[in-house]
Amino acid sequence: QQLADGRVDLVLGRGNTAPVYPWFGKNIQDSLELTVENYALLRKLWDEEVVSWQGKFRTPLQNFTSTPRPLDGVAPFVWHGSIRTPQIAELAAYYGEGFFANNIFWPKEHYMRLMGLYRERYAHYGHGSADQATVGLGGQFFMRRNSQDAVNEFRPYFDNAPVYGHGPTLEDFTAQTPLSVGSPQQVIERTLSFADYFGDYQRQLFLIDHAGLPLKTVLEQLDLLGEEVLPVLKREVAARRPAHVPEAPPHASRKAALAARNAAQTGANA
């Protein structure tokens, strides 16, 4: 955050690779408890200059100061990422931070339930109305200028992909999940449809280097994304977003909000 002058958001997730946990002497069965405790400690280290703390999963801290301190005294904006875990939606809502739904392998109804819970609890904790909650979405695509070319080229990669190969057909998978395979216009239309059932949201992340695609093909995908898709998406999303639904908070606005809270507190104390 210091090096990037405030341009960094963080996405935190528990991870879905079981062998990782023993590397750190942890048990994956404790993953939710670890997430809650570790994040509470991280917030404390950001928000307080001198920290004394004791928890369940790591050694205690006594009069500890983490350095460097957050830029301008403002912690980075955090997205709590989840594929299927309602407790993570609750955690994001409790802190009034972003909820990032993976939105890759599951039908939309699954993510609608998770995001609905997050939005409801965000309002419950007094951070704003449910439709003002900060949501990010994943997604994945394969594009060629001609849609049939995209399908023909991507099918062998899909059929043999380590994650979703040798399972549903490409047609079934694109119908049941957010995977888009086709022309840039089809990817634009599919992505814009997400808000119809998830509500207005603030970040869209795309998985591009998937299914074993060679580097040359991935770079061609990035060219199509930058030249033909992103300009339209940015314009359309901005035009459709209601005035009362904020953008994801950039560093400058979070800095201004902190200054306003400090000024209000000073006035109250006076």
Side-chain angles (χ1 to χ4, degrees):
Q1 193 74 326
Q2 296 277 355
L3 293 172
D5 196 26
R7 298 193 308 275
V8 173
D9 292 356
L10 295 180
V11 182
L12 302 183
R14 291 185 298 131
N16 61 359
T17 307
V20 169
Y21 282 79
W23 298 350
F24 298 93
K26 306 299 180 184
N27 187 331
I28 196 172
Q29 300 302 320
D30 298 326
S31 62
L32 272 174
E33 284 188 274
L34 280 162
T35 296
V36 173
E37 180 175 293
N38 286 343
Y39 189 66
L41 175 58
L42 179 58
R43 291 269 6 151
K44 195 173 183 69
L45 291 168
W46 277 337
D47 297 340
E48 301 177 20
E49 191 157 341
V50 180
V51 171
S52 293
W53 176 92
Q54 185 168 348
K56 178 179 178 181
F57 294 105
R58 57 151 293 138
T59 52
L61 299 175
Q62 187 66 36
N63 297 326
F64 181 83
T65 297
S66 65
T67 57
R69 302 301 300 149
L71 178 66
D72 299 319
V74 179
F77 187 73
V78 171
W79 300 88
H80 298 264
S82 179
I83 295 175
R84 61 183 180 274
T85 311
Q87 292 90 335
I88 301 302
E90 175 75 18
L91 188 69
Y94 176 79
Y95 285 102
E97 295 174 328
F99 179 64
F100 196 94
N102 176 275
N103 194 39
I104 291 180
F105 297 122
W106 295 60
K108 65 180 184 298
E109 290 78 11
H110 170 79
Y111 291 110
M112 288 170 70
R113 288 191 292 271
L114 270 181
M115 278 180 267
L117 171 64
Y118 162 66
R119 290 183 184 278
E120 175 188 323
R121 300 299 288 172
Y122 181 94
H124 168 80
Y125 287 116
H127 301 300
S129 61
D131 61 349
Q132 292 176 317
T134 309
V135 171
L137 291 180
Q140 54 185 342
F141 63 74
F142 184 85
M143 287 186 290
R144 289 302 184 200
R145 285 190 165 84
N146 178 282
S147 60
Q148 193 57 51
D149 288 344
V151 171
N152 292 340
E153 183 176 347
F154 186 65
R155 188 185 301 280
Y157 292 105
F158 176 89
D159 288 346
N160 295 286
V163 175
Y164 38 53
H166 310 290
T169 66
L170 176 59
E171 286 73 16
D172 286 344
F173 197 84
T174 52
Q176 296 168 15
T177 78
L179 173 64
S180 302
V181 179
S183 67
Q185 185 58 38
Q186 287 174 311
V187 171
I188 290 168
E189 292 172 0
R190 185 77 181 276
T191 304
L192 289 175
S193 74
F194 292 165
D196 294 339
Y197 35 86
F198 295 140
D200 293 287
Y201 62 102
Q202 287 81 2
R203 286 284 190 276
Q204 176 67 57
L205 181 71
F206 287 116
L207 174 62
I208 300 172
D209 59 339
H210 53 136
L213 297 176
L215 177 60
K216 178 179 181 293
T217 302
V218 172
L219 295 177
E220 291 166 352
Q221 297 294 296
L222 285 172
D223 286 340
L224 286 169
L225 177 67
E227 293 167 5
E228 301 194 26
V229 175
L230 283 185
V232 178
L233 285 181
K234 288 180 177 180
R235 183 175 66 249
E236 291 295 322
V237 168
R240 295 180 182 198
R241 180 179 292 128
H244 73 285
V245 175
E247 296 183 7
H251 180 78
S253 69
R254 289 165 62 75
K255 179 181 175 181
L258 176 63
R261 289 196 298 272
N262 290 341
Q265 184 63 43
T266 301
N269 291 339

